[in-house]
């Protein structure tokens, strides 16, 4: 029976889960969404959905797929539909765009795709490490992060200057064995944050990277913010953990019994939306770091959450870490409230 490792994929979501496949049963029907939420589309056979986002002025995109076959889905006026790709790619993990004709997607095995509004093409990068996150301040200033998390040297940091992707050396870290970076987000070209294994947090000030300590030793899976003085990081293997940057210092909190968290998104400085394992959907009071979860109606894992210009909040995920021949996607949506 073949065995595959879902390399490094966000300790909170999967640990170092093994995915095996050998004639397993078909995926179960999509579970019912909790009150206030509804299925965005029937994602049962869509494969794992790792990220949902929309570039300014562009359509909402969900990326994911299977280990050996990445996929992109696009929301259109008549519903969601798969996006044709010009060549086979492995599992896709994250996306970031500047407009409908300038969208980037990263994935396993050093995969980087660029969409120009007409087609998607694969762009060469100097790594074969799995890439988990991408963010940029401008079309000629993007960062991508990754790493399989298996051995020293896996942690990967890449930069795009508008012409080519190059590898960037991370600073020596006081934390031992940080072998993967999971997400990157910033408010400007000189204010970029990276999170990763074992509570690793890096900051780029436009000149150099520095290490921050947020009071957490669990894996940190995602980062988002609402400006330089309101940045949130989330993660945790068994219990959810969060930390807030106020421009001067970090404040952290464990959210037990809330399960581990994988995704975070903010529109306002005082509210964060977080998602995670065991069907976790919650609204977080940023000032008090208090979570208000929705009663879970699924044990599937949410991996990403995003609010788009139409006023919809969408969360995606799947049976991450399950049997490799039984990929099941999950995509739910609800309207955003006026103060969210």
């Amino acid at each position: 029976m073949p065995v595959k490792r879902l390399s490094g994929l966000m300790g909170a979501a999967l640990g170092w889960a093994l995915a095996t496949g050998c004639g397993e049963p078909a995926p179960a029907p999509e579970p019912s969404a909790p009150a206030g939420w509804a299925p965005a589309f029937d994602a049962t056979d869509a494969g794992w959905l790792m990220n949902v986002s929309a570039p300014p002025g562009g359509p909402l995109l969900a990326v994911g797929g299977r280990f050996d076959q990445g996929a992109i889905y696009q929301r259109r006026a008549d519903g969601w539909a798969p996006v044709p790709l010009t060549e086979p790619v492995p599992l896709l993990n994250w996306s970031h765009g500047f407009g409908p004709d300038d969208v980037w997607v990263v994935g396993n095995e050093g995969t980087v795709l660029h969409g120009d509004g007409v087609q998607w093409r694969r762009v060469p990068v100097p790594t074969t490490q799995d890439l988990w996150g991408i963010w940029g301040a401008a079309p000629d200033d993007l960062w991508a992060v990754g790493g399989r998390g298996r051995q020293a040297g896996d942690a990967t940091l890449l930069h795009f200057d508008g012409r080519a992707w190059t590898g960037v050396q991370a600073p020596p870290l006081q934390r031992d064995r940080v072998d993967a970076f999971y997400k990157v987000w910033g408010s400007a070209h000189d204010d970029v944050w990276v999170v990763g294994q074992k509570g690793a947090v890096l900051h780029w000030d436009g000149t150099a990277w520095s290490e921050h300590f947020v009071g957490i030793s669990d894996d940190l899976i995602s980062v988002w913010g609402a400006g330089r003085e309101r940045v949130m990081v989330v993660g945790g293997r068994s219990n959810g953990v969060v930390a807030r940057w106020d421009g001067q210092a970090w404040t952290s909190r464990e959210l037990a019994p809330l399960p581990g968290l994988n995704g975070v998104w903010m529109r306002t400085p005082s509210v964060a939306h977080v998602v995670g394992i065991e069907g976790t959907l919650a609204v977080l009071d940023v000032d008090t770091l208090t979570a208000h979860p929705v009663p879970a109606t699924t044990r599937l894992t949410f991996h990403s959450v995003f609010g788009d210009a139409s006023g919809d909040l969408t969360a995606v995920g799947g049976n991450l870490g399950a049997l490799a021949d039984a990929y099941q996607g999950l995509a739910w949506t609800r309207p955003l409230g006026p103060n969210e």
Side-chain angles (χ1 to χ4, degrees), residues 149-282:
R150 298 177 181 174
Q151 58 188 4
D154 279 359
T156 300
L157 187 60
L158 304 177
H159 184 258
F160 181 71
D161 63 3
R163 299 180 300 275
W165 287 91
T166 56
V168 175
Q169 183 67 46
L173 303 181
Q174 295 185 40
R175 292 186 182 276
D176 292 331
R177 294 302 305 273
V178 175
D179 301 325
F181 299 133
Y182 291 134
K183 293 295 178 295
V184 54
W185 177 90
S187 70
H189 71 94
D190 58 353
D191 182 38
V192 184
W193 297 93
V194 168
V195 298
Q197 273 187 337
K198 300 183 179 179
V201 175
L202 302 181
H203 182 255
W204 173 256
D205 64 4
T207 302
W209 288 96
S210 60
E211 183 178 15
H212 279 231
F213 295 91
V214 305
I216 293 173
S217 58
D218 287 5
D219 290 352
L220 292 172
I221 313 304
S222 198
V223 54
W224 201 276
R228 293 177 182 268
E229 298 180 356
R230 268 295 191 271
V231 179
M232 295 295 304
V233 300
V234 303
R237 286 186 174 271
S238 54
N239 295 320
V241 293
V242 297
R244 179 194 66 235
W245 172 253
D246 64 6
Q248 300 294 327
W250 286 95
T251 303
S252 62
R253 184 176 181 183
E254 182 179 286
L255 299 179
L258 201 69
L261 300 174
N262 300 318
V264 57
W265 176 82
M266 299 172 67
R267 180 171 65 172
T268 68
S270 58
V271 175
H273 298 272
V274 297
V275 299
I277 63 175
E278 300 290 331
T280 296
L281 299 163

Side-chain angles (χ1 to χ4, degrees), residues 14-325:
L14 305 174
W16 302 110
L18 292 179
T20 62
C22 189
E24 288 80 8
E30 183 173 342
S32 298
W37 289 82
F41 66 102
D42 184 358
T44 304
D45 298 320
W48 295 340
L49 298 179
M50 304 298 293
N51 174 240
V52 58
S53 69
L60 197 62
L61 300 174
V63 305
R66 303 166 182 254
F67 281 121
D68 59 353
Q69 184 178 346
I72 301 176
Y73 295 87
Q74 177 179 316
R75 188 180 65 184
R76 300 173 178 170
D78 58 351
W80 287 78
V83 175
L85 299 177
T86 56
E87 61 181 297
V89 293
L91 182 70
L92 300 175
N93 296 318
W94 215 253
S95 63
H96 179 78
F98 302 98
D101 59 351
D102 189 5
V103 182
W104 293 87
V105 176
V106 297
N108 283 9
E109 301 172 19
T111 298
V112 176
L113 299 179
H114 182 254
D116 62 6
V118 177
Q119 65 178 356
W120 293 86
R121 65 182 181 89
R122 192 160 184 171
V123 179
V125 295
T127 186
T128 58
Q129 292 286 334
D130 298 338
L131 298 174
W132 304 120
I134 183 170
W135 180 87
D140 60 355
D141 185 12
L142 286 98
W143 296 94
V145 300
R148 296 193 178 97
R150 298 177 181 174
Q151 58 188 4
D154 279 359
T156 300
L157 187 60
L158 304 177
H159 184 258
F160 181 71
D161 63 3
R163 299 180 300 275
W165 287 91
T166 56
V168 175
Q169 183 67 46
L173 303 181
Q174 295 185 40
R175 292 186 182 276
D176 292 331
R177 294 302 305 273
V178 175
D179 301 325
F181 299 133
Y182 291 134
K183 293 295 178 295
V184 54
W185 177 90
S187 70
H189 71 94
D190 58 353
D191 182 38
V192 184
W193 297 93
V194 168
V195 298
Q197 273 187 337
K198 300 183 179 179
V201 175
L202 302 181
H203 182 255
W204 173 256
D205 64 4
T207 302
W209 288 96
S210 60
E211 183 178 15
H212 279 231
F213 295 91
V214 305
I216 293 173
S217 58
D218 287 5
D219 290 352
L220 292 172
I221 313 304
S222 198
V223 54
W224 201 276
R228 293 177 182 268
E229 298 180 356
R230 268 295 191 271
V231 179
M232 295 295 304
V233 300
V234 303
R237 286 186 174 271
S238 54
N239 295 320
V241 293
V242 297
R244 179 194 66 235
W245 172 253
D246 64 6
Q248 300 294 327
W250 286 95
T251 303
S252 62
R253 184 176 181 183
E254 182 179 286
L255 299 179
L258 201 69
L261 300 174
N262 300 318
V264 57
W265 176 82
M266 299 172 67
R267 180 171 65 172
T268 68
S270 58
V271 175
H273 298 272
V274 297
V275 299
I277 63 175
E278 300 290 331
T280 296
L281 299 163
V283 176
L284 186 75
D285 184 315
V286 174
D287 294 322
T288 64
L289 298 183
T290 302
H292 304 280
V294 174
T297 59
T298 178
R299 297 194 68 182
L300 299 185
T301 292
F302 284 106
H303 196 260
S304 171
V305 61
F306 184 84
D308 65 274
S310 71
D312 291 333
L313 185 70
T314 304
V316 300
N319 61 338
L320 309 186
L323 300 180
D325 286 350

